[in-house]
Amino acid sequence: EVLRYAPLEGETAKEKMGDEYDEIIKRDTVVYYDGDTFYFETKALIKALWAIEGYDWLGWLIWIVPYFIRDAIYRIIANNRKKIFDTCPMIPKEQRHLFLD
């Protein structure tokens, strides 16, 4: 329950990103916001993993891979996500409070 989620197209994202919104939305990537800085792609993933108790080791494991390699792998997965994952999972009722929009 450390993280909260908001779709990039939602009001929360527009509010937090301000003038940067139009440029960020074009990136079509995961975004992590720590209250001060926006992080993208694998940097966002790593920051999120470091924030989740018990998963920081996975963040460190990904972090040791050079960023140009890990971001290339991220882009391959992101560009093929609809082929890899058939559907978007339904959010369980007990987790809906974690979503801001």
Side-chain angles (χ1 to χ4, degrees):
E1 301 225 357
V2 173
L3 302 177
R4 298 291 183 265
Y5 309 92
L8 286 177
E9 298 83 12
E11 290 303 314
T12 301
K14 289 177 186 174
E15 177 187 313
K16 297 289 183 192
M17 293 177 190
D19 295 338
E20 299 175 68
Y21 177 77
D22 289 335
E23 195 59 39
I24 291 172
I25 197 78
K26 290 177 194 174
R27 296 181 79 156
D28 190 29
T29 183
V30 64
V31 179
Y32 181 87
Y33 178 62
D34 65 4
D36 194 37
T37 305
F38 293 104
Y39 299 91
F40 307 96
E41 296 181 343
T42 57
K43 288 181 184 176
L45 176 62
I46 291 166
K47 287 286 192 174
L49 289 169
W50 285 344
I52 302 170
E53 187 175 332
Y55 288 90
D56 57 331
W57 66 271
L58 185 54
W60 287 111
L61 186 65
I62 295 168
W63 181 78
I64 64 172
V65 176
Y67 79 90
F68 61 91
I69 294 172
R70 66 180 191 236
D71 278 354
I73 293 168
Y74 174 90
R75 292 291 351 139
I76 290 168
I77 294 169
N79 289 335
N80 292 289
R81 69 183 181 268
K82 291 180 181 167
K83 293 176 190 172
I84 297 168
F85 308 105
D86 280 348
T87 61
C88 185
M90 292 298 296
I91 307 304
K93 188 183 260 187
E94 61 273 3
Q95 293 179 350
R96 290 188 185 150
H97 69 282
L98 301 174
F99 290 79
L100 304 174
D101 291 336

